Amino acid sequence: MPPKKIPMRMCVGCREMHPKKELLRIVRTSDGKTVADSTGKVSGRGAYICPKKECFDKARKIRGIERALEVDISDEVFESLREGIDESDR
Ligand SMILES: [Zn+2]
């Protein structure tokens, strides 16, 4: 059997390619909110990040999420996304 091609995405924190299903999707919704999308079904512009605090810290430093989604992210929103990752961890 030929190996299946795994969809890869780049983490906006460490800038490395990882299988899409191992990454957390962050979406800018049509009403301008920035939310973590654990289902992969929220519509809107999306960015991918490793579900690790380390990558959130890097993303914050290099403004990776802001650049990918073309939004400004407040400290509160950033913290809530960062704090949410432990629960969304498999
Ligand atoms: Zn990463």
Side-chain angles (χ1 to χ4, degrees):
M1 246 183 15
K4 267 193 191 160
K5 200 166 195 300
I6 303 169
M8 303 287 278
R9 291 291 182 274
M10 191 177 69
C11 167
V12 294
C14 60
R15 319 282 296 174
E16 284 170 21
M17 299 297 286
H18 294 282
K20 192 179 158 190
K21 62 177 180 178
E22 289 176 16
L23 297 171
L24 175 67
R25 183 168 178 252
I26 297 185
V27 181
R28 183 184 74 182
T29 62
S30 53
D31 56 357
K33 287 191 188 129
T34 306
V35 297
D37 172 25
S38 52
T39 64
K41 290 183 177 130
V42 178
S43 64
R45 191 184 174 101
Y48 291 86
I49 189 166
C50 307
K52 291 192 290 194
K53 297 209 161 141
E54 198 190 324
C55 285
F56 271 80
D57 292 343
K58 280 184 193 161
R60 184 179 218 167
K61 205 179 271 177
I62 63 172
R63 298 179 61 82
I65 302 172
E66 285 95 327
R67 284 193 299 191
L69 299 183
E70 297 174 350
V71 283
D72 277 323
I73 299 177
S74 67
D75 285 351
E76 288 98 321
V77 170
F78 204 98
E79 275 308 312
S80 73
L81 289 172
R82 190 174 175 275
E83 290 305 313
I85 57 178
D86 284 339
E87 287 143 66
S88 68
D89 221 357
R90 292 144 296 258

